[in-house]
Amino acid sequence: MKKVLMPVAVLAAAAAVSIIITILRPAPLKLEAPDTAVAVKTLRLYSQSADLLVESQGTVLPRTRTQLISEVSGAVLAVSPQFVVGGTFKAGDVLLQLDPTDYEVALQRAEARLISMNAQATFELARATQAQKEWAMTGRPASEAPLLALREPYLAEARANVLQAEAEVKQARLKLARTTIRAPYLGMVSAKTVDIGRYVTVATPLGEIFAIDSAEVRLPLTEKDLARIDLIKHNDNAELPAVTLNATVASQPMQWAAKIVRSEGVVDQLNRSQYLVAQINDPYAVISGSAGNSSPLLMGTFVRAEIVGKTINNVYAIPRHALMEGNRVALVDSQQRLRLTPVETAYGDDQFYYVNGGLVDGAEIIVSAMGAAIEGMLVRSVGSAN
């Protein structure tokens, strides 16, 4: 019996001791606001408008890239000094010259055949005219004349031969023109596969070029990002968002101006992002009199993009470090007391949070660092933040 009662007695004694300790424990000391004023820096807030910035990144790519292919056969007779990797050229510049001899001969043959067919057609027209006169001498109407009597089939055949000869001349001239490979646009050479003396056939690769009048950057954006900018609609003539591209060139930070030109209109299945395309005019700064970018932006450069989004009105810009935990700010009231006030933020960037709820014009916010912000503590402004 004693063995059974012993554990019960121990538990009862422990419970009694715990109750006594709880009752006799002193009440916790309350931290009171110090009477000494704490020096702080403050900032007067007034509502304003702010442009939302959306950040993205991408790689600079050519607007147009072309692989040069030979459309005729022949030996390479001449190569332009600009036809080297990195060489630039204008639209219409001669890049390569193939041997045109065979095609010049073919053109002469086609022109000679055309002259012969024109002569035959003229001869056949004279015969048909004479046949019509002879038929008219019979006194019978022309509608009753047999086709062969008026030589109409022979005249039609002669005219068809002329058309065929003209087509052959046109084709010969086209092939002769194709022995001269000209640049289709302002661009730069990215690859060269032939040189002087090389014999090429139809469909032989000659090199690769790309346009440098403008370049493009594909910028991935999330749904949250898209909500901050005006979506681009098809056939929408509204002003498109401006973009600032940033990169480091030769250890120096550089910027280039660009603009959004279109949306690709699909959602990427891998990252669920949508892509907007930004265009940079004259990325290599080679266009004469161009007022665009002065520093070259090389193809393949990885850039960071800042897209100007929607404009929000009636917001208060507060420094990022002034927003405290729990979305609260420290304000100074008319009695120079600190008041912790909850706010609502609409947007934030690298420098500011933009508050659209909880503040009024003329509110004085504490922007200096504080050890502990205590509700009601006395503060003293020692200067305003810029």
Side-chain angles (χ1 to χ4, degrees):
M1 186 66 177
K2 291 182 179 180
K3 292 182 179 181
V4 175
L5 295 177
M6 183 63 68
V8 176
V10 172
L11 291 176
V17 172
S18 176
I19 293 173
I20 293 172
I21 293 174
T22 302
I23 294 174
L24 298 179
R25 183 177 59 186
L29 298 176
K30 293 185 178 180
L31 185 63
E32 297 181 355
D35 292 333
T36 304
V38 178
V40 294
K41 287 186 178 181
T42 61
L43 177 66
R44 290 281 181 181
L45 298 178
Y46 297 94
S47 63
Q48 62 184 50
S49 298
D51 292 328
L52 304 185
L53 290 179
V54 177
E55 295 183 350
S56 187
Q57 64 283 318
T59 302
V60 180
L61 299 173
R63 172 184 57 84
T64 303
R65 185 183 293 272
T66 305
Q67 186 174 22
L68 297 178
I69 301 294
S70 177
E71 299 181 84
V72 294
S73 300
V76 179
L77 295 184
V79 176
S80 169
Q82 284 73 36
F83 193 66
V84 292
V85 175
T88 59
F89 48 81
K90 298 180 181 179
D93 286 354
V94 176
L95 301 179
L96 292 168
Q97 178 64 59
L98 304 183
D99 187 359
T101 305
D102 292 342
Y103 301 99
E104 290 173 348
V105 172
L107 177 59
Q108 289 179 351
R109 289 176 178 174
E111 289 175 340
R113 176 174 169 76
L114 177 60
I115 293 173
S116 175
M117 292 299 103
N118 280 327
Q120 290 184 17
T122 302
F123 184 68
E124 193 57 49
L125 179 61
R127 283 186 173 183
T129 302
Q130 182 62 33
Q132 291 176 358
K133 291 180 180 179
E134 291 176 355
W135 179 261
M137 293 175 63
T138 64
R140 299 170 62 183
S143 59
E144 296 180 3
L147 294 178
L148 293 179
L150 299 180
R151 302 191 63 84
E152 291 182 0
Y154 301 104
L155 182 59
E157 182 183 13
R159 289 172 175 169
N161 290 336
V162 171
L163 291 176
Q164 182 179 359
E166 289 176 346
E168 291 175 354
V169 170
K170 184 177 181 180
Q171 185 179 37
R173 287 176 178 169
L174 183 60
K175 288 185 176 181
L176 178 60
R178 287 173 176 171
T179 61
T180 302
I181 290 85
R182 297 182 180 275
Y185 44 68
L186 174 69
M188 179 178 288
V189 179
S190 59
K192 175 185 176 182
T193 56
V194 297
D195 214 324
I196 294 178
R198 168 77 181 275
Y199 185 86
V200 299
T201 58
V202 177
T204 298
L206 306 176
E208 188 174 87
I209 60 175
F210 58 86
I212 58 174
D213 58 337
S214 64
E216 295 182 344
V217 182
R218 297 176 69 240
L219 302 174
L221 298 176
T222 64
E223 291 292 336
K224 183 178 180 181
D225 294 331
L226 292 171
R228 295 177 178 175
I229 64 176
D230 293 321
L231 291 177
I232 299 177
K233 301 177 181 179
H234 294 289
N235 301 323
D236 189 356
N237 295 323
E239 184 176 355
L240 299 174
V243 183
T244 300
L245 303 179
N246 300 275
T248 301
V249 178
S251 301
Q252 295 293 326
M254 302 297 296
Q255 287 188 343
W256 297 269
K259 66 177 181 179
I260 299 297
V261 293
R262 69 179 184 276
S263 168
E264 293 189 350
V266 295
V267 177
D268 191 285
Q269 296 183 359
L270 297 178
N271 55 22
R272 310 310 300 171
S273 296
Q274 297 187 40
Y275 285 84
L276 299 185
V277 178
Q279 179 176 293
I280 312 99
N281 293 325
D282 191 20
Y284 282 81
V286 297
I287 299 177
S288 177
S290 173
N293 304 299
S294 58
S295 178
L297 177 58
L298 306 184
M299 300 299 170
T301 302
F302 182 80
V303 294
R304 301 177 303 278
E306 293 182 349
I307 306 172
V308 178
K310 297 178 180 178
T311 299
I312 53 177
N313 300 314
N314 299 323
V315 293
Y316 300 89
I318 65 172
R320 292 184 65 89
H321 63 269
L323 186 66
M324 305 172 66
E325 185 178 357
N327 272 14
R328 297 182 303 169
V329 294
L331 299 181
V332 179
D333 63 12
S334 58
Q335 283 76 38
Q336 295 297 302
R337 296 285 181 176
L338 184 147
R339 301 301 176 192
L340 296 176
T341 304
V343 295
E344 297 178 4
T345 58
Y347 169 69
D349 55 27
D350 292 339
Q351 294 182 328
F352 298 99
Y353 282 112
Y354 297 93
V355 175
N356 61 352
L359 297 176
V360 295
D361 281 353
E364 189 175 7
I365 184 175
I366 298 175
V367 295
S368 58
M370 299 182 62
I374 303 173
E375 179 73 20
M377 68 184 297
L378 188 64
V379 293
R380 175 172 54 87
S381 179
V382 296
S384 299
N386 294 327

